[in-house]
């Protein structure tokens, strides 16, 4: 009797998602943020002048994040479900406590030590004051003028953003780069895109360095949640310091 090959299991199927899906997710994220975010603000009665001058409350800023996450969260989950084995398997997102305390410490040290060191040459070359480096985050924190606003600020910046960004940049994008170019180039490439995606010239070196750290955490522990926790700790340092100062 001839041998019969066993039917392929979901764990043995090679995912078909790749860089095209990552590019599509990035485009969907920023297209949605631009158009749906504007529609939301307009629907609530805010004028173009108020939006341009950033004269909108934190609650409205928070409502602009879900359209961005359509690409950063929706596309990776969709791509893994339709073209792969599911996002938990494909992006190494099985929950495990292994490495998470260290990841939190690494994220904290990255914000406190690495960011100032990496940013110093950029500030020197551009003749920019160090206060300008934290201006985008400071402007957002100044909108948190009540306990509810502070809670919303923490949820958006220290919880929501790390989960969404890690699922995309260290989930779909890093693994798509890895399939095409190998893990070393994947770490570098995903980190550079992460830094550039924030569209903040002064912060680009620091954000790219942070991306390298988060990518290292994923590779070191083979666990996406290590990067999420590291990213949360990284952002939480900024959130706590800004709220305390305000």
């Amino acid at each position: 009797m001839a041998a019969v090959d066993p039917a392929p299991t979901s764990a043995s199927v090679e995912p078909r998602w790749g860089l095209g899906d990552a590019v599509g997710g990035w485009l969907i994220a920023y297209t949605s943020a631009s158009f749906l975010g504007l529609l939301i603000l307009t629907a609530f009665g805010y004028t173009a002048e108020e939006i341009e001058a950033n004269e909108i409350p934190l609650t409205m800023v928070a409502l602009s994040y879900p359209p961005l996450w359509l690409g950063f969260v929706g596309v990776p989950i969709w791509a893994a479900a339709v073209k792969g084995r599911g996002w938990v398997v494909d992006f190494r997102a099985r929950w495990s406590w292994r490495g998470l305390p260290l990841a939190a410490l690494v994220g904290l040290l990255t914000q406190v030590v690495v960011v100032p060191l990496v940013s110093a040459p950029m500030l020197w070359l551009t003749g920019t004051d160090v206060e300008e480096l934290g201006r985008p985050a400071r402007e957002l924190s100044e909108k948190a003028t009540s306990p509810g606003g502070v809670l919303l600020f923490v949820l958006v910046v220290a919880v929501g953003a790390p989960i969404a960004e890690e699922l995309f940049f260290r989930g779909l994008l890093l693994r798509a780069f890895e399939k095409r170019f190998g893990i070393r180039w994947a770490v570098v490439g995903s980190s550079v895109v992460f830094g550039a995606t924030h569209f903040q010239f002064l912060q680009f070196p620091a954000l790219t360095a942070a991306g390298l750290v988060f990518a290292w955490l994923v590779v070191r522990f083979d666990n996406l949640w290590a990067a999420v926790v590291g990213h949360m700790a990284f952002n939480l340092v900024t959130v706590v310091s800004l709220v305390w100062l305000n």
Side-chain angles (χ1 to χ4, degrees), residues 67-151:
L68 183 71
W69 295 342
L70 283 176
F72 284 172
V73 176
V75 169
I77 291 177
W78 170 84
V82 174
K83 301 181 180 182
R85 301 160 295 187
W87 69 278
V88 173
V89 175
D90 285 357
F91 306 140
R92 319 297 203 274
R94 285 195 176 93
W95 178 258
S96 171
W97 287 102
R98 177 175 173 266
L100 297 190
L102 178 59
L105 177 61
V106 169
L108 185 153
L109 292 176
T110 300
Q111 182 67 268
V112 174
V113 178
V114 176
V115 167
L117 289 176
V118 172
S119 301
M122 175 65 82
L123 296 175
W124 179 76
L125 287 171
T126 59
T128 306
D129 187 84
V130 68
E131 292 297 319
E132 185 65 18
L133 195 65
R135 182 180 56 79
R138 187 169 60 254
E139 289 179 349
L140 184 60
S141 73
E142 289 171 352
K143 297 178 183 293
T145 56
S146 66
V150 171
L151 177 61

Side-chain angles (χ1 to χ4, degrees), residues 18-91:
L19 285 175
D21 298 286
V23 172
W26 191 93
L27 292 173
I28 289 173
Y30 281 95
T31 300
S32 299
S34 298
F35 289 99
L36 294 182
L38 182 61
L39 285 176
I40 290 171
L41 292 175
T42 302
F44 278 90
Y46 291 93
T47 65
E49 291 75 15
E50 289 174 320
I51 297 171
E52 180 68 23
N54 197 24
E55 296 175 353
I56 54 177
L58 185 59
T59 51
M60 292 295 101
V61 175
L63 286 177
S64 70
Y65 277 82
L68 183 71
W69 295 342
L70 283 176
F72 284 172
V73 176
V75 169
I77 291 177
W78 170 84
V82 174
K83 301 181 180 182
R85 301 160 295 187
W87 69 278
V88 173
V89 175
D90 285 357
F91 306 140

